[in-house]
Amino acid sequence: MADTLANGEHAAFRMLDLTAANPVAREDPYPRLAELRAQCPLHRDEAAGAWLVGRMADARAIFTDNSHAKNPDRAEPAAIAIRRRRSTVPDGLAFPDDQRASMLELDGEEHARVRNPLVQALYARIARFEPECLRIVDAALDRLDGRAEFDLMHELAEPVPVACIGSILGVPRETLATFRGWLNGIVQTFNPNRTPEDVAALVAASNGLAHYIRGRFDDAKNNPPDDLFGDMARAQMAGVRLSDTEITYNIRGLLIAGNVTTTDLIGNAVSVLLTHPAQLQKLRADPSLWPNAVEEVLRYEAPVDFTWRIATHAEELSGCPVPSGAALNVFIRAANRDEAAFPVADAFDVSRPRASRHLSFGGGAHICPGAPLARMEAKHLVSRLFTRFPNLRLAEPDAPPAWCRLPGFRGLETLPVRVD
Ligand code: HEM
């Protein structure tokens, strides 16, 4: 493990310093991630008790080896950052123990038992969703008719993902605003510096959503509707071994995992294309490049900072010994810019071959099940936006991008654009 720089200084990479919690990384995380890759591909952050992983080859090896765990309880006692996931559950939650049912933190057969039925039902819904996705996208664009300037995040990137997942869950249109409020409140889960007001908002939003989901699932069991709640009620009646808590908590998980991330993907796509006009020109000349362009945005400006696995036996990565219990934090954005995997990795190129080999959706048994939905939404919304508004441009081209401060994510708080 090389943790000394050429000039003799200690590299001292700290997990949080590589995220939006650090103003320098918030503005541009890539130089420091390149140093991590080059100098300390496997770096021990003593304070967090985590091993930071920066190279694509190691990241892939970690994801594809199913002996790696996700349950934070299996991490060594020193793995404070990952163990904090258990201890930061705020007081006042209506169902504080439900987290134990989360597929994000289950391993092996238990993970497959909980994940597979839910994800099969989700995939089947997504496979039929394209016409409804287009309707939601067009309705959102229609609402902008007559506007010369608007905040893309507020008008499109936030509401479209909520409307899409809301439709899959059969949330009535009149409830979508409340639903969106809950999802926005729950984002505070990821904020390590919560004020008492943030905690109160988090608890209120979390309880509001939990009661809503439980109520909807109770109703679905009496009379299964044509939505994901109905699918899961029917699966349970057909003998699938899933408790009510496992179903409802993981439906909640789908919402939380898919909301900010898809919003960020859409905002990042528009922002990157507006600041790379030659690439936008390529797309205008050849619209068949749109799916690849979405992959390249995911690679180039990944919405999620890192995901984790836990070593369940001693092993070696990049020639460095790793003990059993090590919390391995894979820095997705570092791997996505690894020259060993992507030539000229710092260039944004919508026609890049094999752009989809990025790790923005993680990998292995826990790979993001919402990826096809996020891809569909981003492709339709962003391509139709540029067609509908051929003069789309930044409203404040000289202003620095308003990157959000939430560690763990890379997305914009606002993106003011003009279309006249
Ligand atoms: C651009 C949008 C998205 C990005 C970048 C993203 C990224 C990720 C990442 C990095 C993981 C961790 C995977 C791993 O550890 O290997 C993950 C897991 C997950 N995502 Fe997504 N996600 C997105 C959208 C969605 C959507 C739309 C949904 C639901 C509809 C969703 C649901 C989930 C769930 C449930 C998990 C946990 C899976 C498991 O642990 O088995 N995500 N996502």
Side-chain angles (χ1 to χ4, degrees):
M1 178 187 12
D3 59 358
T4 308
L5 297 178
N7 62 8
E9 277 176 30
H10 192 72
F13 293 92
R14 293 193 325 155
M15 207 170 102
L16 266 189
D17 284 349
L18 298 173
T19 74
N22 169 7
V24 178
R26 191 184 314 141
E27 199 179 305
D28 183 2
Y30 299 105
R32 197 76 175 124
L33 293 175
E35 285 174 10
L36 174 72
R37 242 180 1 246
Q39 295 157 2
C40 316
L42 197 75
H43 181 81
R44 169 79 176 170
D45 173 351
E46 288 295 345
W51 299 71
L52 315 186
V53 180
R55 286 189 184 162
M56 177 63 94
D58 289 332
R60 280 201 187 288
I62 290 169
F63 287 148
T64 49
D65 177 350
N66 280 336
S67 75
H68 290 119
K70 279 215 91 167
N71 181 344
D73 295 340
R74 298 178 73 180
E76 58 177 326
I80 300 165
I82 194 170
R83 286 175 161 271
R84 200 178 291 140
R85 289 181 64 86
R86 293 272 189 251
S87 59
T88 53
V89 176
D91 290 340
L93 283 188
F95 310 103
D97 297 327
D98 284 9
Q99 192 189 352
R100 300 261 162 198
S102 169
M103 73 168 89
L104 264 97
E105 301 185 357
L106 291 174
D107 292 324
E109 285 176 12
E110 273 296 274
H111 175 248
R113 179 182 65 78
V114 172
R115 173 175 162 128
N116 291 352
L118 195 64
V119 169
Q120 272 164 19
L122 177 69
Y123 282 162
R125 291 258 151 215
I126 296 172
R128 302 198 294 274
F129 189 64
E130 197 143 22
E132 176 68 358
C133 180
L134 285 167
R135 191 201 61 70
I136 290 170
V137 162
D138 286 341
L141 292 171
D142 288 345
R143 282 194 292 275
L144 295 169
D145 271 349
R147 301 271 298 272
E149 182 173 337
F150 54 87
D151 175 9
L152 184 118
M153 301 310 290
H154 185 74
E155 303 293 345
L156 295 174
E158 286 170 19
V160 167
V162 176
C164 287
I165 195 70
S167 162
I168 284 174
L169 288 173
V171 177
R173 282 187 206 167
E174 59 276 15
T175 312
L176 274 182
T178 313
F179 194 68
R180 189 174 158 189
W182 288 328
L183 291 177
N184 289 341
I186 288 175
V187 166
Q188 291 302 332
T189 307
F190 304 104
N191 178 359
N193 304 312
R194 294 189 287 249
T195 63
E197 291 75 32
D198 294 334
V199 174
L202 167 59
V203 170
S206 191
N207 289 347
L209 186 62
H211 284 296
Y212 176 78
I213 290 178
R214 281 176 175 246
R216 285 288 315 280
F217 190 57
D218 283 345
D219 294 346
K221 289 203 294 187
N222 292 327
N223 185 14
D226 181 14
D227 59 31
L228 196 65
F229 286 108
D231 298 339
M232 295 319 294
R234 278 183 290 269
Q236 212 185 30
M237 284 186 258
V240 167
R241 254 186 340 114
L242 281 182
S243 68
D244 287 9
T245 299
E246 285 165 344
I247 291 172
T248 52
Y249 194 77
N250 283 295
I251 286 184
R252 175 187 185 277
L254 292 181
L255 292 167
I256 295 166
N259 184 42
V260 181
T261 47
T262 311
T263 293
D264 289 348
L265 169 61
I266 293 165
N268 294 353
V270 175
S271 162
V272 171
L273 286 168
L274 288 177
T275 49
H276 293 76
Q279 297 302 315
L280 183 57
Q281 206 39 53
K282 268 196 211 174
L283 281 166
R284 291 200 200 277
D286 181 3
S288 73
L289 284 174
W290 269 107
N292 203 61
V294 170
E295 300 306 324
E296 179 65 347
V297 172
L298 280 159
R299 183 195 72 82
Y300 184 78
E301 212 57 290
V304 175
D305 275 342
F306 55 80
T307 181
W308 77 93
R309 295 292 187 277
I310 296 153
T312 55
H313 52 81
E315 59 182 295
E316 216 178 86
L317 289 164
S318 269
C320 308
V322 172
S324 181
L328 302 164
N329 276 56
V330 176
F331 272 79
I332 292 172
R333 215 166 298 119
N336 283 356
R337 297 280 189 112
D338 189 338
E339 290 278 330
F342 298 105
V344 206
D346 284 332
F348 175 68
D349 177 2
V350 295
S351 53
R352 176 183 291 279
R354 299 190 301 181
S356 63
R357 289 172 58 82
H358 59 73
L359 293 185
S360 298
F361 292 118
H366 286 269
I367 195 165
C368 174
L373 180 61
R375 287 177 161 127
M376 185 193 295
E377 291 176 31
K379 183 185 77 175
H380 289 316
L381 177 54
V382 181
S383 64
R384 288 187 172 222
L385 172 77
F386 278 103
T387 305
R388 175 88 70 116
F389 301 112
N391 293 331
L392 185 76
R393 61 194 185 282
L394 296 175
E396 297 158 17
D398 299 327
W403 293 113
C404 72
R405 286 153 194 269
L406 210 55
F409 299 93
R410 185 151 173 89
L412 294 162
E413 261 163 20
T414 59
L415 182 58
V417 292
R418 290 198 71 86
V419 294
D420 53 347

